[in-house]
Amino acid sequence: MVILGAERAQSLRRELEAARAAGHLRNRLESFPSTAWARWSIRAAFAAPFLVIASVAADPSVSTITVNQTAVDHVSTLAWDRADVAWITQLYPPLGTVLVRLIPGGAAGLALVGALVAGVLLQLLLEVMVQRRFEWWKSAVFLVAIGANPLFAYTATGNFEAFLSIAFFGIGTINMVRFVSSGNTKAGFESGILFMLAALADASGLVLVVAAAVTAPLLSVARRSESGARWSNVLIVLFPTIAVFAAVMFLQLLFGHSPWSVFENAVHFDPTLGALVPHLFTTLDGVLILAPVASGSALALLSRRPGSILISVFVFLALVLGYVFGLIPVNSAGNVFLVMTMMGIAVIPAARTVRASVLITVVGGVQVLIAWTAALNRPVTHSWMTAIGHVLGWR
């Protein structure tokens, strides 16, 4: 018994050292900055430019271009004096729909709240990189890559439901990696809640959570010596989402005609959108959509985690399917870029050599170029930027 105990302790020590070397585990994950007022000051500073953009985008000539206006128009058609099972189906995604109803100011109000969410998200991403012991210049490049571009600004101020879902999913993925690869139980439960919120905030969040379910088993497992650890991790991460949707589907089956009714209003195949898929491989716009996947693959190789390439591919395919089946509005932009960039931050460990760190930073810098080129080439973001320019008097 003593020998077995010693072997087990040695195994745990090896797993702990491996997690620390990967940059996912420290003796204590401290908040950054350490005081609440400093954290909120940074969040306010990050949110400030997007609040300015949101105030300019309140002009009807700008807001009508955005998904926010579409969401407001949809919510205005719902009957809010009902509480039956069929009505619950019409609410999907319930969290996003209810927030659109409650936030005053229509599309302009959603833009302002989205700007505030952007500030919190960027601060949390910075905190994660500090906890991973990224060099300051690497953190700066990745923050610029994800936040200082029109794709991020358009999604934050023009597509509230999707942005909220992507933010939940991005932070949830970071916690999932901490849980699976480092055995951080608290992060595991947090990731489960965040994935559930992502699926309830926007219809596109559902495909992202499905992608997480597929990719979670591909991560290296901290408790690899324990039988069934890999699949028990997946179940813990997905349980809240499964429980919520299983409950709604049961109610639909019990009081309605089909358990799938909850998805009928959200999911619909559009052959015209399906016909656009080949353009991903034949046009510049398509190449720019695929570019974040290539960058994610490069980061996986530089981080010595080739299995993460499959994660990028699965998430990309999930987003394409979400677009084809109507879960992602046609006038969305930047979903693939934002998700892929946050996935990269989630899986990148602290570089063990200066050379690897420099190469990872270069790939992060390429993300900046990809984002701006894609924004200028995408019709919806180009029209949005042009409309903002007209409001400001630029010709």
Side-chain angles (χ1 to χ4, degrees):
M1 294 295 293
V2 175
I3 295 176
L4 289 176
E7 290 178 350
R8 177 60 180 154
Q10 186 177 5
S11 174
L12 289 174
R13 280 195 297 271
R14 285 197 300 267
E15 292 172 3
L16 183 63
E17 290 303 321
R20 283 183 177 147
H24 288 295
L25 185 66
R26 301 179 70 177
N27 293 332
R28 181 182 178 186
L29 289 175
E30 298 178 353
S31 300
F32 178 83
S34 58
T35 59
W37 72 266
R39 288 194 296 274
W40 281 104
S41 296
I42 290 180
R43 291 167 184 171
F46 281 145
F50 302 107
L51 289 171
V52 173
I53 294 172
S55 63
V56 175
D59 188 278
S61 64
V62 181
S63 61
T64 53
I65 301 173
T66 65
V67 183
N68 281 346
Q69 188 60 54
T70 305
V72 170
D73 293 340
H74 168 69
V75 169
S76 66
T77 64
L78 300 178
W80 292 93
D81 56 352
R82 296 170 54 188
D84 52 84
V85 176
W87 180 72
I88 294 176
T89 299
Q90 296 174 7
L91 282 183
Y92 186 79
L95 176 60
T97 301
V98 170
L99 287 175
V100 171
R101 166 71 174 178
L102 294 178
I103 294 173
L110 295 178
L112 291 172
V113 176
L116 296 175
V117 174
V120 175
L121 174 61
L122 292 174
Q123 183 273 327
L124 289 175
L125 292 175
L126 174 61
E127 182 178 82
V128 168
M129 289 185 282
V130 170
Q131 291 169 346
R132 296 271 184 83
R133 292 172 289 184
F134 279 22
E135 294 85 352
W136 68 266
W137 37 271
K138 188 198 297 187
S139 299
V141 167
F142 274 95
L143 277 179
V144 170
I146 194 170
N149 63 77
L151 294 180
F152 186 91
Y154 173 81
T155 307
T157 62
N159 193 353
F160 172 74
E161 291 176 294
F163 185 68
L164 187 64
S165 179
I166 290 171
F168 283 140
F169 178 77
I171 302 302
T173 301
I174 291 169
N175 281 308
M176 180 183 72
V177 174
R178 282 175 175 167
F179 171 58
V180 175
S181 299
S182 305
N184 188 321
T185 306
K186 178 175 179 289
F189 287 109
E190 289 177 351
S191 68
I193 298 298
L194 289 168
F195 283 156
M196 178 193 69
L197 293 175
L200 296 177
D202 187 67
S204 63
L206 185 60
V207 296
L208 293 175
V209 173
V210 171
V214 174
T215 58
L218 301 176
L219 297 170
S220 59
V221 181
R223 298 177 298 158
R224 61 177 64 90
S225 60
E226 298 181 13
S227 176
R230 189 178 300 275
W231 294 107
S232 64
N233 288 342
V234 176
L235 182 60
I236 289 173
V237 167
L238 296 181
F239 177 76
T241 306
I242 294 173
V244 168
F245 280 92
V248 174
M249 292 171 68
F250 176 74
L251 290 174
Q252 293 288 349
L253 179 62
L254 193 62
F255 298 102
H257 301 290
S258 169
W260 309 107
S261 299
V262 65
F263 304 111
E264 288 178 357
N265 291 334
V267 180
H268 51 85
F269 175 71
D270 189 338
T272 59
L273 296 178
L276 293 176
V277 174
H279 99 289
L280 294 175
F281 308 95
T282 58
T283 66
L284 174 61
D285 189 32
V287 171
L288 291 171
I289 294 175
L290 285 169
V293 183
S295 297
S297 300
L299 290 173
L301 293 174
L302 290 171
S303 303
R304 298 181 181 179
R305 292 186 168 183
S308 298
I309 294 175
L310 291 176
I311 297 177
S312 299
V313 172
F314 283 136
V315 172
F316 173 75
L317 292 177
L319 289 169
V320 172
L321 289 174
Y323 178 76
V324 172
F325 283 92
L327 295 171
I328 299 176
V330 176
N331 54 340
S332 297
N335 297 47
V336 173
F337 174 81
L338 296 181
V339 171
M340 288 298 170
T341 305
M342 283 195 283
M343 288 289 288
I345 293 174
V347 301
I348 295 174
R352 301 178 185 180
T353 65
V354 174
R355 179 176 175 272
S357 188
V358 169
L359 291 174
I360 289 172
T361 305
V362 169
V363 175
V366 172
Q367 293 283 82
V368 179
L369 179 63
I370 292 172
W372 277 91
T373 306
L376 294 172
N377 189 68
R378 202 74 49 80
V380 63
T381 48
H382 186 269
S383 299
W384 178 75
M385 288 187 289
T386 301
I388 287 179
H390 288 164
V391 172
L392 295 174
W394 300 342
R395 294 291 187 270

